[in-house]
Structure formats: C-alpha cells, structure tokens
C-alpha cells in the first residue's frame, strides 16, 4: 500500500532549501567511498548526477542503452535554458521564476520543489560556463539572454540553436573525467529491464547487455532513474526514436507511484506527417510564431485544390484566408501559449480545412513579415519602399538573419522553400510532465529509488514553460540529488556492499528472462513497429490534444484489445542472446501498452481542463479550458495493479505563496 | 521510385560479411532511414533478419547514424547526416551501395553498426575542464569575447559521428580530437589544462589504432557539421607547444 509523504521541510518558502541543506544528514567522506550508487540514464539529469556524486566520493555505476552517453535525447534540445540570474537587470528574481513556473504549470505543481528549482537555477549557469559550454555572448563578453514563451523577462541562456547539445557535452565531459579517474564505472549499451528490491529497498537493477544479450545483475546501495520522458508512447513525437518508459514503468510495477501520467505537452509548430512510413516529427522552434502568421483557407474548394496541387497557397487571396489565431485571440494572436495554439490547429483540421494530403497541417506564413522587414530596411537605406522586388529581397535577408537555420532544416526535410511558400506545420507530442512521483528528496515511493529529470513529475505541473526542462534536469543532477540522496544513504553507512548473489537478484533475473522468452516465442505475423504505430494512433485520437469521457473509455478498450493481439501475434526475429534491436523495441512497446492505459485512466478521472490536459466537457462557452481548483488541486499518484484497476492516491497541493488565477489570452 | 540496394550484412564482430542485394519501392518524401525502415518491415514480413543500423534523434544532432552511402560517409549531400538525407536526392532506378564506417578503431558489430567507443576514451583522456560541481565562480566573472566564443562553438558543434574517420584514407581521428582541443583552447576556462589535455588525447588516439593525418582533408569534406581542418592546425600548435613546454621542465 502506497503512502504519499512529500517530506516538504518546515519554514517559509524561501528558507526551506537553505535550512534543509544545513540539516540533512551527511555522509562522511570515508563512508562515501563504501557506498555504491546506480544511475540509470546519462542524459542531462543522469550525466550531471553521476559526475557530481562521483566527485563527492560515492562509487557510481552509470548505465545507458546508447553506445555513448553523449547521444542521449537531451542532445536535441534547441532553444535554451532558464535561470534567475537577472543579468539583464529587468526585474527577474528567484521568486519571479518560481511564480512563472507555477503559473505556467496551471497550478498543479508543488510550491517547495519549484522554488528550490528557481533557487539553484543560477548555479547551473555558473557550472556550465566553468565547464566550457560556449553560451552566446554580448559584445562586452558577458553572457547573452533571450526571452521565451509567455514571460516578461529575458532569462534564457542559449548556445545558438543547440543548447541541449552543448549542455549535454558539458555534463558528458564531467562524467568522462570521473570515468577516467575510476570513480564512475560506465556501462554503455546496457538497458535496464527491472529494478531489484531487497527487504523493501531498491538495491540494484537487471540489465541486458545489448551487444551480447546477456541478462546481468548490478547491485548498489540505491538506484537513481534518469531515464527521460515517455512521449514516444504516441509513436510519433519529437522525442528521439529510442526514448521509452520502460525503466520508470518497471519501477511502477514494483510499487512506485506514477504521477499525473496524462499531462503531456503538445508543441504547436512541428513539421507535419507526410506519409504512413513516417518515423518521427521534427520540431520547428516556437520563436517562428513571432513573425509567422498561422492560417488555413476559408473555403473548402480551396482546401481541395491545395491538397491536389491545383492551387498554390499564394494563389489564395487575403479575403479567402482564415487567420484563425488572430481572429479568436486578438490580444495574443499568433503568440498564444503552446496548448491553445495546438488545439486551435486541431479544430480547423477537424473541420476539414487542413492543407496537406493527410489533412493535418496548417500554414505558417512569413510573406507579411518579409514585406514588413523589407519595407523598413528599404526606408532606412533611403531606397524606394514601394519597389516590391527590392523590398522582398531585403526582407528575405532580414528573415534569413533571424531564422536562417530553421528555414534550412525545413527545406531539407520537406523540399519546400519557406521564403517563397508558407511552411506547413502541425502540433506534435513533445514532452511529458507526468512521471514517477517523488518527494522533496526526489525519492519515489520505493525506498532507495530516486527519479530525476523528465522521468519524474515534480516541477512543471500540467504544462511546462519553454527552456525549463534543461534547467530542471541539471538542477536535479548537479545541485539537488547530491544533497538529498544523503537522506537515504546516511542510514546505510553500515550496510555492506550489496551482493548480486542474493536470491532477489536471481529471481528478478529469471523473471526477466522468462518475459523475454515468452515475447520471442510468440512468433506471430506482425512487426513490433506496426503495433507501436497503432498504439500511438489510439492514444493520439483518444488521449491527445483534447479528450472526452466516451473517447477515453473507447480508447482504453481499443488499447486492451491491441495489447491482447500483441501478445498473440507479434513477430520478433533473431534470438534473445544476441544484438537484437527488434527485441529491444518489443519490451519497450509492451510497457507502453500499460502506461497508455494508465494515461487514459488518469485523463478520465481528471474532470477538469488544465495545462496540456483538455477535457471537452470542461470548457467555457468560448471553448477555453476550465480548471476546477476546488476538486482537483492535487497530484494524482497511481498505484498500478497487475490485476484490476489502478488505485488513485492524492497529494493535495497547497498554495501559500501564489494566488490561483485563470489563464486568458483573448 | 524503384531502387536496388546493395547492403553490407555481417552477423557479428568476428564473422565475415558480404553485400546482399534488395529491391525496394520508395517515395521521394521519405528520409533515407525511413527508406531502410520500410525495407526492414518487408524483411520482417518475410520472417528474415532486419538490417541493423544505428540511429536515434533523426535530426542530425546525436551522431548515432553512421553509414557509407555510395562511397561517401553520410551520403552525397554536403553538411547532411544520413538521417537528414531524403530520397528525393536519388533517382528512380538507382543502385545504392550501403556500408558501415570502416576503420581499424571502429570494428563492425553487426551489419552497419560499428563500435565507436574509442571516441569516448579519447575524451576521457583529457577532453574536459577539471571543475567539480559547486566550484564554479559567477558566470559573468569569466568574460569571453564574441570571436573566441564563436570559434569555440564552431568546434564544439562536432556530433562525434566518426564520418571524418570513415572518410580519411588513414582512418585518422584528427578532426574529431582537434575539434575538442580547439573548443576548450579558445576559452579562457580551458587554457589552464591545455598542455596536459592535448598530450593525453593524442596519446590515446594512437593507442586506439587511429592513423596519422596526411593532410588530405577528406574529413572536412564529409563532416556533416562543417568542422574545419583549421582545428587540426590549432591542435598541432597546441601539441607542439606542449611538447616544447614539457622539454623545458
Ligand atoms: C526537439 C526537442 C527540443 C527541446 N528543446 C528544449 C529546450 O530548448 N529547452 C528545454 O528546457 N527543454 C527542451 N526540450 C526538453 C528536454 O530536452 C528534455 O526534457 C530533457 O533533455 C530530458 O533530459 P533527461 O536527462 O531527463 O532525459 P534524456 O535526455 O531523455 O536521457 C535519458 C537517458 O536514459 C537512458 N535510458 C532510458 N531508459 C533506459 C533504460 N531502460 N536502461 C538504460 N538506460 C536508459 C538513455 O539512454 C538516456 O541516456 C526539448 C525536447 C525536444 C524533444
Ligand atoms: S568532426 Fe565532423 S565528422 Fe568527425 S566526428 Fe565530429 S561531426 Fe563527425
Ligand atoms: S540519428 Fe541522430 S544524427 Fe542521425
């Protein structure tokens, strides 16, 4: 039976973390050397944690299914990382960052954790600079900032459009240093398939060596999961192809509560699906909506003509275009938040006005911006602002200076030139706010099992702000976990090295082996991929951008049927005891089935609309989300049952430092 | 479009490989890897063994994808990783030859998958700045002028894919290693350890069995991230001054 205790320290919000740090039990250096920690995952969260714990003196073992820690999904993050440095002197502060994050999360996150995140954010930037992360600089050599979605200050640090890459390389290098010093033992190409509990504490993992197929036991005094988010449950997402939920899901099957699994973030500007073979979706930075105007044709016949290629978008006169965001949200226009923009795109496509073959795309048009910039440029050069050709060419240059690399990526993928014809975009799954429930120590409901980074649920509530995931991953890894892990390990200094000869390991290994064998033995007729695609579509249709009770019930039923078919008819080639990517996929998809079901259960129970979770039954007359603070100001932490329905545990959220308000963008 | 694919198949590190030919129908909108996905689906339908290849981000940033397409690492398009290559750059009726990266320090593990862990060991030898978590001074206490910052970034953009090694007639890792040496040497934070760093990284490169650089610059031509061979010159200067430095003391 799960009992939730968030272990939030006493004291005022601003004092909690400071007090905690000075009172948490510490482990003396000579004892640290005797304690082993397993870190699964070497993305931003895992690499930073493994390096920092090793620097402190713990004996760390780190695991990744990649061939190198440098390839983790974090590498793909583009835009930037937030920190309350107030270098711009524009009134930023720890409190403001805290406030923006709580509000952005639609008041479904825990105040104390978010405040701590804001407090340590500044240290992250210092640490990364010292490691050699080449952040953007001003002329004078100081760090540059930009602003990001929906906040009034400029607090985002960035390294061109490759911030995630540069931050991960920094953490990877810190980790590499600890590996070379012998403080971290690194296991590449190892996939964790189960967590091992000994006397009620997480004491190790079962991992499969992906090259040899060997099922191995690895023991330690505690286990940290830094295994990322589960957006790939939808099959198509902006996540890397191999991102999956299995590590977290295996923990939840052992009794770790899963929190708010239905909170997923959909990003409005991604390159749409172009065919049935499509494997993933590519994000186009949010910044494009600063200058791009979103529209679809007003008339169905124009839609048809565009889909058939009989008309080009530029053939549609202004009067026949529907700039629907500007129409519906005159105050924010094209700059409404991610969830609002995404739902609006779905609505017009549901009406049959989508502008590509699949009917699932809207235009993002830069022609007006090109002309506007061009005119300004022409005037400032003393040229004729009525000279259309000149204006267009000057404007193209200005837009190129701002968005050149994004336009290039777009053209590489689609073959269309967005300077001449509008981009086609569509929303896609991007990030998951839900994850393993953790307390203030970042410990799950399983003692000795910690979760950090996107794998936990802690800081973003029902919606994450741009540039805050990188911040959270590194906060957890560099500055929070290295302290909070002491709350557990300080009580373990007398515990001898954990042996993998314990019966618990043998039993867990057997169970994993049986699970793999039974999957291999099905020898049916359908590929894993085909099941994953279908699973993704069910989730997208019934538990995607907008949800309703009937759909969720139906979706859950369809999921169960598909899962049954999977276990009867999946075909996995090759053998267990060899390099076998299809088997890897199969174990991940098998876990996605159960997670998907839990997401539907969670979405159905949450009778309100908040952040990324939009229930059609709960909207205002003008189709805006209606939150229900009276009944749903809590974290939904689910206990998975292998038989019967999942059990809900509630962690009530108390807001003492912010006032709950309704979001409006009209 | 109808394609003929000649793909290197090799069951394991120690087994001998050979080319196998497949015919496949593709569409111009597909990415190269999606084309291989479709091939694999077909192979699986016929209960065969799919072609193993490495991939993850499919956006040209993780450095996982690694194959030689018609004799060129990452295929015919400049500044493009395999995962960013699209089929519209091929023609109906084309024959496409697909092989793994070949180098002594990158042994083939299966089909198109090679072992690039030697790159990790080069970084472990010294490709970092020694600063523990919590030891850092305020970010703005270290000023970096925009030019140095830009140069450092350009070098740091390396994705560790190994195409430079695959392209080099000597299978040298100079472009990769020099990109890291240059990234850190351009920054004031990285200058303290520069001598030790370059010496150790070069020694590790030799130990891994990478070849020497004979200035053919094939690496730069096939690098998907435009890493410049100027970095190699910079690394040589660093190396020279470090060996001179160590002679002095
Ligand atoms: C396209 C894109 C752009 C983004 N841009 C931004 C941005 O600009 N700013 C921002 O703040 N956020 C951004 N995000 C979100 C952010 O990148 C992620 O939330 C964050 O990087 C997650 O980091 P992580 O360390 O928690 O997990 P990951 O980076 O996903 O790492 C997971 C690690 O766990 C390992 N792993 C997983 N399961 C297992 C297992 N069973 N066994 C062994 N190893 C395992 C993997 O190998 C990997 O090493 C973006 C996301 C996407 C998709
Ligand atoms: S230098 Fe270029 S080719 Fe070599 S590993 Fe780096 S990105 Fe790849
Ligand atoms: S798959 Fe990541 S670079 Fe190609």
């Amino acid at each position: 039976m799960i009992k939730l205790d968030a272990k939030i320290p006493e004291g005022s919000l601003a004092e909690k973390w400071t007090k905690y740090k000075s009172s948490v039990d510490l482990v003396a250096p000579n004892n640290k050397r005797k304690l082993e920690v397993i870190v699964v995952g070497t993305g931003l969260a895992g690499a930073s944690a493994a390096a920092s714990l090793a620097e402190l003196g713990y004996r760390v073992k780190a695991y990744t299914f990649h061939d190198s820690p440098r390839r983790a999904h974090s590498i793909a993050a583009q835009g930037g990382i937030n920190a309350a440095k107030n270098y711009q002197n524009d009134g930023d502060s720890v409190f403001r960052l805290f406030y923006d994050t709580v509000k952005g999360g639609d008041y479904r996150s825990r105040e104390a954790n978010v405040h701590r995140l804001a407090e340590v954010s500044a240290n992250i930037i210092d640490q990364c600079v010292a490691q050699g992360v080449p952040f953007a600089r001003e002329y004078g050599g100081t760090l540059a900032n930009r602003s990001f979605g929906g906040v009034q200050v400029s607090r985002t640090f960035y390294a061109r459009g490759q911030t995630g890459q540069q931050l991960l390389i920094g953490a990877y290098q810190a980790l590499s240093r600890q590996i070379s010093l012998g403080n971290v033992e690194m296991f590449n190409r190892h996939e964790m398939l189960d967590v091992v509990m000994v006397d009620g504490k997480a004491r190790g993992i079962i991992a499969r060596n992906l090259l040899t197929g060997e099922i191995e036991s690895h023991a330690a005094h505690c286990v940290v999961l830094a295994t990322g988010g589960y957006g790939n449950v939808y099959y198509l997402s902006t996540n890397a192809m191999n991102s999956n939920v299995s590590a977290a899901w295996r923990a939840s099957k052992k009794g770790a509560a899963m929190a708010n699994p239905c909170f997923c973030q959909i990003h409005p500007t991604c390159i749409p699906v172009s065919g049935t073979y499509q494997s993933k979706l590519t994000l186009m930075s949010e910044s494009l909506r600063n200058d791009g105007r979103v529209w679809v044709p007003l008339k169905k016949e124009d839609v048809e003509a565009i889909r058939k290629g009989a008309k080009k978008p530029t053939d549609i006169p202004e009067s026949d275009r529907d700039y629907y965001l500007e129409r519906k949200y005159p105050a924010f226009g094209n700059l409404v938040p991610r969830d609002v923009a995404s739902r609006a795109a779905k609505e017009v496509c549901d009406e049959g006005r989508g502008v590509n073959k699949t009917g699932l795309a809207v235009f993002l048009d830069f022609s007006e911006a090109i002309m506007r910039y061009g005119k300004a440029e022409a005037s400032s050069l003393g040229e004729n602002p009525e000279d259309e050709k000149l204006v267009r060419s000057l404007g193209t240059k200005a837009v190129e200076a701002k968005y050149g690399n994004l336009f290039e990526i777009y053209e590489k993928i689609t073959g269309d030139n967005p300077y001449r014809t509008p981009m086609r975009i569509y929303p896609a799954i991007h990030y998951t706010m839900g994850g393993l429930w953790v307390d203030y120590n970042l410990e799950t409901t399983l003692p000795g099992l910690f979760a950090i980074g996107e794998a936990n649920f802690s800081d973003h509530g029902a919606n994450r702000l741009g540039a805050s995931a990188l911040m959270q991953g590194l906060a957890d890894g560099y500055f929070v976990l290295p302290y909070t892990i002491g709350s557990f390990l300080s009580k373990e200094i007398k515990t001898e090295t954990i042996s993998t000869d314990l019966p618990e390991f043998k039993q867990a290994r057997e169970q994993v082996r049986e699970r793999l064998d039974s999957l291999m033995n099905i020898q049916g007729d359908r590929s894993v991929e085909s099941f994953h695609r279908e699973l993704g579509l069910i989730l997208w249709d019934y538990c995607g951008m907008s949800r309703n009770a009937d759909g969720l019930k139906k979706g859950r039923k369809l999921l169960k049927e598909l899962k049954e078919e999977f276990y009867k008819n999946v075909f996995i080639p090759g053998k267990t005891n060899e390099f076998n990517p299809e088997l890897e996929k199969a174990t991940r998809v098998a876990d996605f089935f159960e997670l998907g079901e839990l997401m539907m259960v969670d979405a159905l129970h949450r009778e309100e609309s908040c952040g990324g979770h939009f229930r059609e039954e709960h909207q205002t007359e003008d189709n805006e989300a209606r939150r229900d603070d009276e009944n749903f100001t809590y974290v939904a932490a689910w206990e998975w049952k292998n038989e019967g329905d999942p059990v809900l545990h509630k962690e009530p959220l108390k807001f003492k430092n912010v006032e709950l308000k309704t979001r409006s963008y009209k | 479009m109808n394609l003929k694919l000649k793909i290197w198949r090799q069951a394991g590190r120690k087994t001998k490989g050979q080319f196998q030919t497949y015919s496949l129908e593709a569409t111009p909108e597909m990415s190269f890897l999606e084309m291989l996905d479709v091939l694999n689906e077909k192979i699986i339908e016929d209960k065969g063994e799919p072609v193993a290849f490495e991939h993850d981000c499919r956006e040209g940033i993780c450095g996982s994808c690694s194959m030689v397409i018609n004799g060129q690492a990452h295929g015919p398009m400049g500044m493009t990783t395999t995962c960013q290559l699209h089929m519209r750059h091929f023609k109906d009726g084309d024959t496409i030859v697909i092989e793994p990266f070949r180098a002594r320090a990158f042994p083939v593990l299966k089909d198109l998958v090679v072992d690039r862990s030697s790159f990790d060991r080069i970084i472990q030898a010294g490709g970092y700045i020694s600063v523990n978590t919590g030891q850092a001074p305020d970010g703005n206490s270290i000023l970096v002028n925009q030019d140095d910052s830009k140069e450092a970034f350009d070098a740091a953009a390396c994705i560790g894919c190994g195409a430079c090694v695959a392209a080099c007639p000597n299978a040298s890792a100079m472009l990769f290693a020099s990109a890291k040496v240059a990234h850190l040497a351009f920054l004031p934070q990285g200058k303290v350890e520069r001598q030790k760093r370059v010496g150790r990284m070069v020694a590790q490169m030799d130990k891994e069995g990478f070849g020497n650089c004979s200035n053919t610059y094939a690496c730069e031509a096939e690098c998907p991230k435009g890493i410049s061979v100027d970095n190699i010159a910079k690394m040589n200067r660093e190396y020279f001054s470090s060996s001179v430095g160590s002679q002095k003391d």
Side-chain angles (χ1 to χ4, degrees):
Chain A
M1 180 61 195
I2 288 175
K3 250 192 83 205
L4 302 178
D5 175 6
K7 304 205 177 102
I8 300 168
E10 292 301 315
S12 72
L13 186 65
E15 284 174 348
K16 286 183 198 292
W17 180 232
T18 317
K19 276 200 180 154
Y20 176 98
K21 280 193 292 184
S22 51
S23 62
V24 65
D25 287 332
L26 296 178
V27 181
N30 60 321
N31 286 326
K32 284 202 182 99
R33 281 193 290 276
K34 291 186 232 152
L35 293 171
E36 292 185 296
V37 181
I38 282 177
V39 179
V40 187
T42 51
L44 280 178
S48 58
S52 305
L53 291 169
E55 287 162 10
L56 287 172
Y58 292 111
R59 277 162 37 212
V60 176
K61 299 180 197 168
Y63 299 78
T64 167
F65 57 67
H66 288 100
D67 68 321
S68 161
R70 68 180 297 149
R71 312 230 192 268
H73 163 60
S74 295
I75 201 101
Q78 305 171 347
I81 176 166
N82 289 329
K85 274 286 195 189
N86 194 26
Y87 280 160
Q88 307 307 323
N89 200 24
D90 56 2
D92 200 8
S93 65
V94 167
F95 187 82
R96 191 178 287 276
L97 175 54
F98 154 78
Y99 179 81
D100 288 345
T101 308
V102 170
K103 176 178 168 217
D106 225 357
Y107 310 99
R108 293 295 175 263
S109 51
R110 199 188 279 148
E111 276 193 341
N113 286 53
V114 178
H115 197 272
R116 174 176 67 188
L117 173 68
E119 281 176 68
V120 304
S121 65
N123 302 349
I124 299 173
I125 302 305
D126 300 340
Q127 190 62 31
C128 296
V129 168
Q131 290 169 347
V133 171
F135 283 120
R137 300 276 170 168
E138 303 290 357
Y139 284 117
T142 52
L143 290 154
N145 288 119
R146 60 178 164 210
S147 46
F148 226 81
V151 296
Q152 287 139 322
V153 293
S154 196
R155 64 160 77 100
T156 306
F157 295 77
Y158 61 101
R160 282 192 210 154
Q162 281 139 265
T163 315
Q165 178 197 28
Q166 294 308 320
L167 295 174
L168 182 63
I169 294 297
Y172 160 73
Q173 286 171 191
L175 175 63
S176 295
R177 174 169 160 249
Q178 294 305 313
I179 295 172
S180 74
L181 291 169
N183 300 332
V184 174
E185 196 180 346
M186 184 67 225
F187 295 87
N188 294 328
R189 297 192 193 269
H190 274 68
E191 178 146 329
M192 166 187 157
L193 292 181
D194 219 340
V195 48
V196 181
M197 303 296 295
V198 179
D199 297 332
K201 292 175 184 166
R203 295 298 200 187
I205 61 169
I206 305 299
R208 181 165 176 269
N209 178 329
L210 299 182
L211 280 184
T212 63
E214 200 169 328
I215 309 295
E216 304 171 351
S217 296
H218 296 263
H221 291 84
C222 69
V223 176
V224 180
L225 299 186
T227 46
Y230 51 83
N232 274 352
V233 66
Y234 290 87
Y235 187 75
L236 288 177
S237 82
T238 62
N239 288 15
M241 297 293 292
N242 294 308
S243 299
N244 70 84
V245 77
S246 287
W249 190 252
R250 288 288 133 192
S252 91
K253 288 184 69 114
K254 286 266 156 94
M258 220 358 141
N260 303 332
C262 80
F263 287 169
C264 302
Q265 182 166 76
I266 290 171
H267 200 290
T269 52
C270 301
I271 300 179
V273 177
S274 60
T276 49
Y277 51 81
Q278 185 118 3
S279 58
K280 78 158 281 178
L281 297 170
T282 301
L283 181 82
M284 286 278 101
S285 168
E286 189 146 35
S287 61
L288 290 173
R289 283 196 284 141
N290 282 306
D291 283 309
R293 295 178 73 195
V294 178
W295 66 276
V296 289
L298 272 170
K299 297 186 190 152
K300 281 275 169 65
E301 62 257 33
D302 285 340
V303 172
E304 286 306 320
I306 284 176
R307 286 188 193 170
K308 285 204 206 95
K311 268 191 186 173
K312 292 199 298 268
T314 42
D315 296 336
I316 314 291
E318 280 296 315
S319 55
D320 288 342
R321 298 178 178 195
D322 180 11
Y323 294 94
Y324 58 87
L325 286 177
E326 297 168 27
R327 172 170 59 80
K328 288 165 83 169
Y329 307 100
F332 278 70
N334 295 295
L335 284 173
V336 290
R338 290 179 178 179
D339 51 338
V340 180
S342 297
R343 273 197 301 279
K346 180 182 188 300
E347 243 167 65
V348 295
C349 290
D350 287 351
E351 289 163 21
R353 294 196 284 153
V355 292
N356 70 353
K357 275 186 218 155
T358 61
L360 297 175
V362 299
F363 289 127
L364 180 63
D365 197 331
F366 294 88
S367 54
E368 200 238 28
I370 289 175
M371 297 314 276
R372 176 162 41 87
Y373 284 122
K375 277 201 176 125
E377 201 59 23
S379 310
S380 79
L381 291 171
E383 303 280 354
N384 177 10
E386 302 307 318
D387 178 344
E388 207 188 307
K389 219 173 131 204
L390 175 82
V391 165
R392 185 175 298 278
S393 127
L394 290 172
T396 301
K397 280 207 193 93
V399 167
E400 189 182 344
K402 274 187 110 162
Y403 306 113
N405 69 329
L406 293 169
F407 277 43
E408 214 175 280
I409 297 178
Y410 183 83
E411 189 169 358
K412 229 174 216 172
I413 294 176
T414 63
D416 281 347
N417 177 344
Y419 296 102
R420 293 212 202 97
T421 179
M423 286 184 176
R424 287 181 166 90
I425 54 157
Y426 200 67
I429 292 288
H430 176 59
Y431 181 87
T432 49
M433 281 76 67
L436 288 170
W437 185 91
V438 289
D439 62 16
Y440 192 75
N441 294 324
L442 303 181
E443 193 173 3
T444 67
T445 52
L446 292 179
L449 185 73
F450 294 78
I452 59 177
E454 195 175 334
N456 75 25
F457 89 104
S458 69
D459 296 338
H460 308 293
N463 175 51
R464 172 177 71 80
L465 290 181
S468 284
L470 302 182
M471 168 173 72
Q472 183 227 331
L474 289 180
D476 287 358
Y478 283 134
F479 296 108
V480 179
L481 184 77
Y483 282 101
T484 61
I485 205 167
S487 66
F488 179 83
L489 287 177
S490 60
K491 298 184 198 85
E492 298 289 332
I493 51 175
K494 296 222 168 66
T495 312
E496 300 286 316
T497 305
I498 309 291
S499 162
T500 53
D501 295 334
L502 291 170
E504 286 85 350
F505 279 92
K506 185 157 176 270
Q507 196 195 355
R509 229 167 29 232
E510 281 310 313
Q511 280 168 356
V512 165
R513 204 167 283 136
E514 273 166 32
R515 180 150 57 93
L516 298 186
D517 287 343
S518 66
L519 281 170
M520 290 297 302
N521 290 339
I522 297 168
Q523 292 294 312
D525 285 319
R526 272 184 73 177
S527 69
V528 179
E529 205 76 16
S530 74
F531 279 105
H532 193 180
R533 270 178 210 279
E534 199 175 328
L535 159 71
L537 213 57
I538 295 175
L539 271 150
W540 181 246
D541 285 345
Y542 300 105
C543 193
M545 260 184 284
S546 68
R547 301 141 180 204
N548 63 56
D550 288 343
L552 287 163
K553 285 180 200 149
K554 179 164 172 211
R556 188 176 177 195
K557 192 166 148 271
L558 291 173
L559 260 188
K560 278 189 167 159
E561 286 165 12
L562 188 67
K563 179 177 162 190
E564 244 168 67
E565 196 201 332
F566 176 83
Y567 281 102
K568 279 194 200 125
N569 199 23
V570 71
F571 171 71
I572 308 166
K575 295 193 282 290
T576 319
N577 58 354
E578 63 177 12
F579 183 49
N580 189 344
E582 286 297 310
L583 175 59
E584 292 163 30
K585 277 197 257 175
T587 55
R588 297 169 188 170
V589 172
D591 290 336
F592 276 144
F593 275 116
E594 291 181 343
L595 168 78
E597 198 187 332
L598 186 64
M599 288 165 67
M600 300 246 189
V601 171
D602 185 37
L604 182 62
H605 115 279
R606 193 167 278 278
E607 294 281 355
E608 65 164 347
S609 295
C610 63
H613 171 67
F614 187 81
R615 279 288 300 270
E616 285 157 17
E617 300 92 329
H618 304 288
Q619 52 183 315
T620 61
E621 297 79 66
D622 35 10
N623 308 107
E624 299 307 321
R626 185 185 283 134
R627 230 174 43 221
D628 179 354
D629 291 333
E630 201 176 313
N631 296 303
F632 287 95
T633 310
Y634 64 78
V635 178
W638 294 94
E639 182 178 356
W640 181 256
K641 297 278 181 196
N642 288 321
E643 310 287 330
D645 279 336
V647 179
L648 173 66
H649 303 272
K650 297 181 186 176
E651 180 200 338
L653 293 167
K654 296 188 193 81
F655 293 93
K656 295 191 186 131
N657 301 277
V658 296
E659 187 196 337
L660 275 59
K661 288 188 187 145
T662 314
R663 300 192 304 165
S664 168
Y665 301 96
K666 289 279 167 188
Chain B
M1 54 204 292
N2 284 304
L3 301 169
K4 208 163 117 193
L5 305 170
K6 281 182 73 180
I7 304 179
W8 185 260
R9 304 300 310 259
Q10 180 173 337
R13 192 172 176 147
K14 300 235 162 64
T15 37
K16 255 186 77 183
Q18 82 280 331
F19 280 105
Q20 202 160 318
T21 308
Y22 304 86
S23 37
L24 188 75
E25 215 186 319
T27 65
E29 303 90 56
M30 286 179 180
S31 74
F32 197 84
L33 296 185
E34 284 167 350
M35 183 273 292
L36 288 179
D37 290 343
V38 172
L39 173 70
N40 276 344
E41 281 289 288
K42 231 181 82 174
I43 296 178
I44 291 171
E45 234 167 70
D46 300 336
K47 307 267 150 107
E49 273 263 342
V51 180
F53 62 90
E54 215 134 27
H55 67 101
D56 198 23
C57 73
R58 299 203 173 189
E59 293 187 3
I61 193 75
C62 74
S64 293
C65 59
S66 48
M67 48 188 94
V68 174
I69 301 164
N70 290 339
Q72 277 180 292
H74 292 304
M77 304 294 289
M79 297 284 283
T80 304
T81 55
T82 299
C83 58
Q84 290 177 298
L85 179 64
H86 280 71
M87 295 314 292
R88 60 175 169 277
H89 300 297
F90 295 87
K91 289 193 307 292
D92 185 37
D94 272 358
T95 298
I96 307 177
V97 183
I98 309 171
E99 303 163 79
F101 283 0
R102 295 188 195 276
R104 188 150 72 98
F106 288 171
V108 173
L109 297 171
K110 186 174 184 175
D111 299 339
L112 306 172
V113 179
V114 300
D115 179 357
R116 286 170 286 182
S117 54
S118 46
F119 269 15
D120 281 336
R121 290 187 293 274
I122 292 175
I123 298 298
Q124 285 157 21
Y128 47 74
I129 291 171
S130 300
V131 54
N132 282 358
T133 301
Q135 289 177 339
D138 182 80
N140 264 348
S141 68
I142 307 168
L143 299 181
V144 183
N145 75 54
Q146 281 189 333
D147 290 341
D148 286 344
S149 170
K150 180 188 172 298
E151 301 269 10
F153 185 95
D154 286 344
C158 164
I159 57 173
C161 64
C164 44
V165 176
C168 176
N170 312 320
S172 164
M174 283 294 266
L175 193 64
F176 168 76
S178 69
K180 186 48 60 197
V181 168
H183 158 209
L184 298 176
F186 274 116
L187 296 170
Q189 309 91 297
K191 292 209 158 86
V192 184
E193 291 169 277
R194 63 201 290 185
Q195 302 210 333
K196 212 162 84 187
R197 175 180 310 122
V198 68
R200 286 185 176 182
M201 288 176 71
V202 168
Q204 188 66 33
M205 233 173 17
D206 293 343
K207 211 163 119 193
E208 297 289 346
F210 288 104
N212 291 321
C213 171
S214 54
N215 304 318
T216 58
Y217 300 155
C219 52
E220 185 186 77
E222 293 192 19
C223 170
K225 295 291 136 180
I227 304 296
S228 158
V229 290
D230 294 349
N231 292 312
I232 298 185
K234 180 153 178 102
M235 168 147 130
N236 284 334
R237 282 197 302 277
E238 292 277 315
Y239 187 69
F240 181 68
S241 63
S242 84
S243 19
V244 173
S246 58
Q247 271 161 24
K248 265 190 257 163
D249 49 51

